[in-house]
């Protein structure tokens, strides 16, 4: 088998150039017009046929022989953050930044496409490239992954496996990490409206104060994780927004809360949701107020397919050496809409080390100074391409 890491290092300057171009053109979810154009331009140069799905792009490499199909997914959107890296290729548009490394994901997938198109006569079967919009901005109405699936990304030919990677800041450059079993959490959202009765700040007895009721709700919600969920299970209930009132001497008529609930399985998710409803309703009632909750199940939790993650680990060890492939113990409580693809085919999702203390590359994902060590790009491209070859030809 071609040593994909050696091959990927040969195209390192290409990967860096593409990543920087994507970085400087950062665009928010569903608005990735320039990003989509760059991807299409590159696939065209490689002679890879593609179709366009809104701002998403779906490319397919058909190998010489007949065989299976594997999909490589990359998310392509950026975040609403004012970049403070000071890099020469920092985002041109103020307030939009690739602070989650999706520029690197896209560059790695394009790199894998380049490596595989160079050897397509040796490949049995097909490799699909799913460049998916909007990983960061999904809501009840629209989701970037679901859009790609609806448009047929997981059909004709149907992938028998789907793989992806995410940059990992604590991870050292040159390394990847794999996680067996559950890898990402159910990432649910909720909003609560507490309705009381407005009045004069000096005469609370004549009003029903939604601020005090909402404050009690926030505190009582904290008992769900500590008292209702098993201590052996992971769960999070965070109220992250509290809006009420406009001035100091008026009791407002209502208060708004928003937040997120995380869990690793449907049972815990259900306990949280049910208990939240009860606590919110009863607490509000005890203050003479009323509360309504909207609970929205976001990206579902997902576990890596054991066969696929084992294959990615094997490829990683072969290309990078045992010491550079970390087996993680804990899942992330973050959410990932890769889960929608992993519902339709065995999924393998790895993390790509991008940190480098010596170079001062230490900031966390979503930080305005987040950046990556670009030496990670050939690593990512090599592991993606190597996994495709191993899956199809192995
Ligand atoms: Ni991300």
């Amino acid at each position: 088998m071609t040593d994909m890491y050696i091959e990927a290092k040969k195209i390192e300057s290409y990967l860096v150039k593409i990543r920087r171009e994507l970085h400087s053109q950062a665009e928010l979810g569903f608005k990735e017009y320039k990003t989509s154009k760059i991807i299409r331009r590159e696939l065209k140069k490689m002679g890879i046929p593609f179709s366009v799905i809104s701002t998403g792009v779906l490319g397919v490499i058909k190998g010489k022989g007949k065989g299976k199909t594997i999909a490589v997914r990359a998310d392509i959107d950026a975040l609403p953050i004012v970049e403070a890296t000071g890099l020469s290729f920092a985002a041109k548009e103020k307030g939009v930044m690739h602070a989650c490394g999706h520029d690197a994901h896209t560059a790695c997938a394009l790199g894998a496409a380049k490596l595989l198109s160079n050897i397509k006569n040796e490949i049995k079967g097909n490799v699909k490239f799913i460049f998916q919009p909007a990983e960061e901005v999904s809501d009840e109405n629209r989701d970037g992954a679901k859009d790609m699936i609806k448009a047929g990304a997981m059909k004709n030919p149907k992938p028998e496996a789907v793989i992806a990677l995410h940059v990992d800041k604590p991870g050292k450059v040159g390394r990847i990490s794999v996680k067996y079993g559950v890898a990402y959490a159910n990432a649910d959202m909720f909003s609560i409206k507490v309705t009381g009765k407005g009045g004069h700040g000096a005469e609370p007895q004549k009003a029903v104060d939604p601020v005090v009721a909402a404050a009690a709700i926030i505190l009582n919600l904290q008992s769900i994780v500590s008292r209702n969920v098993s201590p052996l299970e992971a769960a999070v209930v965070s109220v992250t927004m509290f809006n009420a009132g406009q001035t100091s001497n008026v009791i407002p008529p209502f208060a708004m809360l928003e937040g997120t609930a995380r869990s690793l399985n449907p049972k815990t998710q259900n306990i949280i949701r049910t208990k939240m409803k009860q606590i919110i309703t009863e607490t509000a009632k005890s203050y003479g107020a009323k509360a309504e909750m909207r609970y929205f199940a976001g990206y579902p939790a997902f576990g890596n397919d054991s066969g696929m993650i084992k294959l990615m680990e094997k490829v990683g060890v072969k290309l990078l050496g045992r010491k550079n492939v970390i087996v993680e113990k804990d899942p992330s409580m973050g959410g990932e809409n890769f889960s929608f693809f992993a519902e339709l085919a065995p999924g393998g999702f790895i993390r790509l080390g991008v940190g480098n203390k010596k170079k001062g590359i230490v900031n966390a994902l979503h930080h305005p100074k987040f950046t990556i060590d670009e030496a990670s790009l050939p690593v990512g491209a090599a592991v993606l391409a190597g996994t495709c070859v191993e899956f199809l030809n192995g």
Side-chain angles (χ1 to χ4, degrees):
M1 184 183 123
T2 327
D3 186 320
M4 281 296 178
Y5 192 30
I6 292 175
E7 295 305 309
K9 278 199 261 190
K10 289 184 196 162
I11 61 160
E12 183 164 350
S13 59
Y14 167 78
L15 294 165
V16 169
K17 203 172 131 229
I18 289 292
R19 181 256 163 171
R20 290 185 180 189
E21 187 181 6
L22 292 164
H23 192 91
S24 71
Q25 308 269 13
E27 293 166 300
L28 296 177
F30 297 124
K31 291 180 183 153
E32 307 93 335
Y33 306 107
K34 291 178 201 148
T35 307
S36 176
K37 223 171 166 181
I38 295 169
I39 295 165
R40 286 180 267 145
R41 183 193 72 203
E42 291 306 311
L43 292 177
K44 209 168 179 182
K45 273 198 239 164
M46 295 174 209
I48 298 173
F50 59 85
S51 50
V52 179
I53 300 161
S54 151
T55 50
V57 184
L58 181 64
V60 187
I61 296 179
K62 289 202 162 100
K64 204 173 183 192
K66 276 200 173 157
K68 294 183 281 188
T69 298
I70 182 168
V72 176
R73 173 272 205 174
D75 42 8
I76 64 172
D77 59 325
L79 285 158
I81 292 176
V82 178
E83 179 159 358
T85 59
L87 291 166
S88 59
F89 53 92
K92 285 182 198 149
E93 192 185 331
K94 206 179 169 195
V96 184
M97 177 190 175
H98 269 298
C100 199
H102 298 188
D103 51 344
H105 305 167
T106 307
C108 287
L110 283 170
K114 201 175 177 68
L115 294 170
L116 292 169
S117 63
N118 288 342
I119 56 159
K120 76 173 176 208
N121 289 338
E122 297 163 35
I123 297 175
K124 289 183 215 153
N126 314 299
V127 185
K128 275 189 159 175
F129 286 89
I130 303 170
F131 294 94
Q132 175 221 304
E135 200 281 325
E136 304 280 3
V137 292
S138 153
D139 62 26
E140 286 156 295
N141 305 314
R142 201 169 172 201
D143 179 274
K146 283 186 186 166
D147 276 7
M148 294 301 281
I149 292 166
K150 256 185 251 156
M154 296 297 278
K155 280 192 265 181
N156 304 325
K158 183 183 168 4
E160 276 116 332
V162 57
I163 59 171
L165 55 76
H166 202 294
V167 298
D168 179 26
K169 191 279 309 164
K172 253 187 169 168
V173 63
R175 288 182 177 169
I176 61 162
S177 55
V178 298
K179 168 74 178 68
Y180 283 84
V182 60
Y184 278 88
N186 291 307
D188 301 346
M189 286 151 269
F190 56 83
S191 67
I192 302 162
K193 184 176 184 183
V194 184
T195 310
K197 196 177 132 206
H200 198 296
E203 295 180 320
Q205 77 282 11
K206 293 182 185 166
V208 175
D209 189 350
V211 177
V212 175
I217 287 172
I218 295 171
L219 291 179
N220 289 345
L221 287 178
Q222 292 310 310
S223 70
I224 298 174
V225 174
S226 72
R227 302 292 88 177
N228 301 114
V229 172
S230 158
L232 302 175
E233 287 286 340
V236 179
V237 176
S238 291
V239 176
T240 55
M241 193 202 85
F242 187 161
N243 281 338
Q246 280 171 8
T247 187
S248 60
N249 59 356
V250 176
I251 291 171
F254 66 89
M256 295 296 301
L257 303 175
E258 273 184 31
T260 184
R262 307 287 167 117
S263 54
L264 296 177
N265 57 55
K267 194 181 159 210
T268 307
Q269 185 182 34
N270 207 24
I271 291 172
I272 293 174
R273 189 181 188 147
T274 311
K275 211 58 204 168
M276 277 187 77
K277 201 159 191 265
Q278 190 190 356
I279 287 174
I280 289 163
T281 313
E282 297 301 324
T283 305
K285 212 168 153 192
S286 72
Y287 284 83
K290 254 206 265 170
E292 290 161 295
M293 173 174 72
R294 257 183 72 243
Y295 189 100
F296 161 46
Y299 302 160
F302 81 88
N304 277 313
D305 175 78
S306 58
M308 279 316 294
I309 202 69
K310 198 169 178 180
L311 185 74
M312 295 188 92
E313 184 185 5
K314 189 179 128 189
V315 169
V317 170
K318 204 157 152 187
L319 298 177
L320 312 169
R322 180 69 265 183
K323 71 172 186 356
N324 289 319
V325 180
I326 313 297
V327 179
E328 280 177 65
K329 283 196 197 83
D330 299 322
S332 163
M333 293 309 281
E336 236 305 336
N337 65 4
F338 178 77
S339 54
F340 293 122
F341 298 105
E343 281 174 354
L344 301 171
F349 192 96
I350 60 158
R351 293 202 225 198
L352 177 68
V354 296
N356 190 334
K357 269 192 194 153
K358 278 187 204 147
K359 290 189 191 168
I361 300 173
V362 294
N363 290 307
L365 290 171
H366 296 203
H367 189 284
K369 286 188 177 171
F370 170 77
T371 189
I372 63 163
D373 187 327
E374 290 170 324
S376 60
L377 298 171
V379 177
V383 175
L384 292 175
T387 302
C388 293
V389 172
E390 200 65 41
F391 182 78
L392 297 174
N393 291 11

